[in-house]
Amino acid sequence: MDDLPSPLILEILSRLHDSADLARCRLVSREFNALSSDVRTINFHCSLERYTMSRSPATRSDVTPFKTIFKRLVSSLRRVESISIGVEKPLREMSYDDVEDESDDLYLTDKCFISDWLPSVAGELKSISISDFWIQSCWRQSVVLSLISCDCLSLRELELKNCWLSVDGLNPMPMLTSLTLEYVRLDDENLGRVNDCFPSLQVLNLIGVGGLGRPKIHLLHLRTCQWTVSNAPLSLTILAPNLINLKLACVKPRSLVIDAPLLTDFNLSIETASKFQVKEPCNLKALQLESKYLCSLFNLFTFGRTIKNLIVDSSKCDESGEVAELNLAKLFNVFSSTTSLTLGPGAWSKAETWFLKQGSEVIGGTKELKELIARFYVDDINITLLFIFYLLEKCTSLRDMTLLIHHEVETSIASSIMSRSMAHCARVRWRWGLWMKGKKDAWISDGI
């Protein structure tokens, strides 16, 4: 190790996943000890094992407090550009049902703790990520946003998770281009302070942000947005003239207004909205739509003719337990220029139901569709095969079919579907596989 050039040693130290290892490396040699002070990144997270040991009467006296170790790390570095501090996933998923914890040893957005280390490194910081311990932070309001906005004038990226945030004293941060708030309570009911204080945002992620009433995102430079709405606000509004990618998940807002004329990629998960208004984006090419009521939403997409890549899915049954229908003829009519269509298992099931009810009266198809990808169950092999044959007949330009059968379907049934489908149509390039929820697809054959 002594023969390694100093720049390479520094690169190795900078790539350590856990900054606790950095302290251990200082004991290796004098050179390691000297070079470690030039590392510019801190990545320090509390594990479940450390938390458990700190609570056990038998071991807690041997455990150095998490905050103490972090402050030592910060003070030992000459220049810090990136800080990521938090609790690991098993701790983030704990709840009061698991343990009642009113201490503050892992309350990481605490004003006193932040004030202890932030001012000394704020000038060089480009990125901050804090993932708090929800059990300790959810009932304590934090002014961490105010502290960061006062001190970190060069900050580019900010990520805060699992905490209760106040916007009191929040100052404008014109240099910030990326903001992520995940599973937080935010005292900014309409997102007015977010819009005013972060005017240069290009990336915005709001995941499970509670406390919103009539939130409006109005950001002129925003290009990518992911918004997962945890509660049921009365209205949702997005005004973003430069937005390109939008992923939005909500339930039943009374009003949904999206004005994003440059939108190219749109992922929408919604049940329904009393008022649904999307200003026609001239460049929209990819749409992913998930809803219990797909057909009722189709007519709202008056710009469907521009979409080339379409992905649709739905819950297999509605709230009454009945399987609704997915009218493919209507889908092909609304999205008449789609060249690639992906059907999720719920959408496939509802399309099969529609096909079964229509029978020989089924009409409608498309000459534009070139590729079909589907994940599906098999309730009745004969109906499934007839439905596949219908798709081949009505989509005359179809050349690629990827069919993924649920992994619990009997092997003999899956094999029969494969062989009979390929025998029915030789013009198509077939790909076959198995799917299981939450798992990577397993391929059976490729390129046949």
Side-chain angles (χ1 to χ4, degrees):
M1 296 290 287
D2 293 336
D3 296 331
L4 293 176
S6 296
L8 180 56
I9 295 176
L10 181 58
E11 181 68 18
I12 293 172
L13 294 176
S14 300
R15 290 176 178 267
L16 292 174
H17 179 69
D18 186 350
S19 292
D21 294 332
L22 185 63
R24 302 183 183 99
C25 287
R26 291 173 180 160
L27 304 176
V28 173
S29 69
R30 291 181 180 179
E31 185 176 14
F32 271 42
N33 184 45
L35 288 172
S36 64
S37 297
D38 291 324
V39 172
R40 299 182 180 183
T41 299
I42 293 178
N43 187 6
F44 191 43
H45 290 74
C46 183
S47 65
L48 177 59
E49 180 183 12
R50 165 181 277 276
Y51 174 79
T52 302
M53 290 178 63
S54 69
R55 294 301 189 271
S56 171
T59 56
R60 62 188 176 194
S61 61
D62 300 325
V63 179
T64 304
F66 181 81
K67 290 180 177 178
T68 300
I69 297 177
F70 174 78
K71 286 186 284 187
R72 287 176 183 171
L73 281 168
V74 171
S75 63
S76 68
L77 302 183
R78 296 189 181 96
R79 178 181 177 185
V80 183
E81 294 185 351
S82 176
I83 288 178
S84 177
I85 179 175
V87 297
E88 293 184 351
K89 187 174 181 179
L91 278 172
R92 293 200 300 269
E93 295 177 346
M94 292 179 67
S95 67
Y96 283 110
D97 294 333
D98 302 312
V99 59
E100 292 187 11
D101 193 336
E102 295 187 359
S103 58
D104 64 355
D105 56 326
L106 289 179
Y107 174 34
L108 303 179
T109 54
D110 174 39
K111 178 181 178 180
C112 293
F113 172 62
I114 298 293
S115 299
D116 277 348
W117 60 266
L118 184 63
S120 63
V121 296
E124 302 289 344
L125 275 176
K126 301 293 189 295
S127 173
I128 296 178
S129 174
I130 303 176
S131 180
D132 218 332
F133 186 32
W134 181 246
I135 292 175
Q136 293 184 8
S137 65
C138 66
W139 52 281
R140 294 176 166 112
Q141 189 179 43
S142 171
V143 293
V144 64
L145 279 173
S146 173
L147 297 176
I148 291 173
S149 68
C150 287
D151 294 332
C152 303
L153 303 183
S154 300
L155 200 68
R156 301 292 196 277
E157 299 179 4
L158 176 60
E159 181 179 76
L160 299 172
K161 299 180 180 181
N162 308 310
C163 49
W164 175 11
L165 299 176
S166 168
V167 293
D168 289 344
L170 178 61
N171 295 313
M173 299 185 69
M175 301 295 287
L176 196 75
T177 58
S178 177
L179 175 65
T180 296
L181 302 178
E182 185 170 330
Y183 300 115
V184 305
R185 174 180 172 183
L186 182 65
D187 288 347
D188 187 9
E189 182 176 353
N190 299 324
L191 296 181
R193 294 294 290 165
V194 169
N195 293 318
D196 294 340
C197 293
F198 306 118
S200 302
L201 283 182
Q202 297 180 26
V203 177
L204 176 62
N205 299 309
L206 302 175
I207 314 299
V209 176
L212 305 179
R214 298 177 182 270
K216 175 191 291 187
I217 294 174
H218 188 189
L219 296 165
L220 300 181
H221 302 285
L222 192 65
R223 297 177 65 83
T224 299
C225 180
Q226 181 177 352
W227 193 2
T228 302
V229 184
S230 60
N231 57 352
L234 296 176
S235 64
L236 299 173
T237 303
I238 299 175
L239 305 177
N242 287 292
L243 187 64
I244 294 174
N245 299 298
L246 172 61
K247 184 176 183 180
L248 175 62
C250 50
V251 186
K252 292 181 179 180
R254 293 184 183 176
S255 172
L256 175 60
V257 177
I258 300 174
D259 187 347
L262 299 185
L263 192 62
T264 300
D265 194 331
F266 186 17
N267 184 328
L268 175 63
S269 176
I270 189 174
E271 283 193 15
T272 186
S274 300
K275 179 183 178 183
F276 184 97
Q277 178 184 341
V278 179
K279 186 174 181 180
E280 183 168 342
C282 54
N283 296 316
L284 187 63
K285 303 300 181 186
L287 172 66
Q288 182 169 337
L289 184 61
E290 182 175 358
S291 175
K292 291 181 180 180
Y293 312 104
L294 285 169
C295 282
S296 65
L297 291 176
F298 286 163
N299 287 337
L300 301 176
F301 289 90
T302 56
F303 46 85
R305 63 187 179 278
T306 70
I307 295 168
K308 299 297 183 181
N309 189 339
L310 176 65
I311 301 174
V312 294
D313 200 8
S314 178
S315 57
K316 195 174 180 183
C317 301
D318 62 20
E319 294 175 352
S320 67
E322 297 181 356
V323 178
E325 299 177 13
L326 171 56
N327 188 328
L328 283 185
K330 185 174 183 180
L331 181 150
F332 292 142
N333 181 55
V334 173
F335 304 102
S336 56
S337 299
T338 295
T339 58
S340 176
L341 171 64
T342 299
L343 297 175
W348 178 279
S349 179
K350 292 183 176 183
E352 262 196 5
T353 301
W354 165 79
F355 169 76
L356 182 62
K357 288 186 176 181
Q358 298 297 320
S360 59
E361 301 300 320
V362 168
I363 59 174
T366 175
K367 295 181 180 180
E368 299 298 324
L369 193 65
K370 304 293 191 301
E371 178 186 33
L372 176 66
I373 303 169
R375 291 171 176 82
F376 59 94
Y377 302 87
V378 180
D379 296 320
D380 186 316
I381 184 174
N382 293 318
I383 294 175
T384 296
L385 283 168
L386 288 174
F387 183 52
I388 292 173
F389 299 162
Y390 157 76
L391 291 171
L392 292 167
E393 177 187 349
K394 296 299 181 180
C395 305
T396 55
S397 298
L398 198 59
R399 291 295 179 267
D400 290 277
M401 287 194 72
T402 300
L403 299 182
L404 299 158
I405 305 171
H406 192 262
H407 72 105
E408 292 182 351
V409 174
E410 293 182 12
T411 302
S412 59
I413 294 177
S415 298
S416 180
I417 292 174
M418 291 168 57
S419 59
R420 293 171 65 180
S421 296
M422 289 187 291
H424 181 82
C425 185
R427 79 170 190 269
V428 170
R429 176 180 178 269
W430 297 90
R431 299 183 74 207
W432 297 91
L434 301 176
W435 72 274
M436 178 170 52
K437 187 175 181 180
K439 300 293 183 180
K440 188 176 181 179
D441 298 332
W443 295 102
I444 299 173
S445 64
D446 187 4
I448 297 178

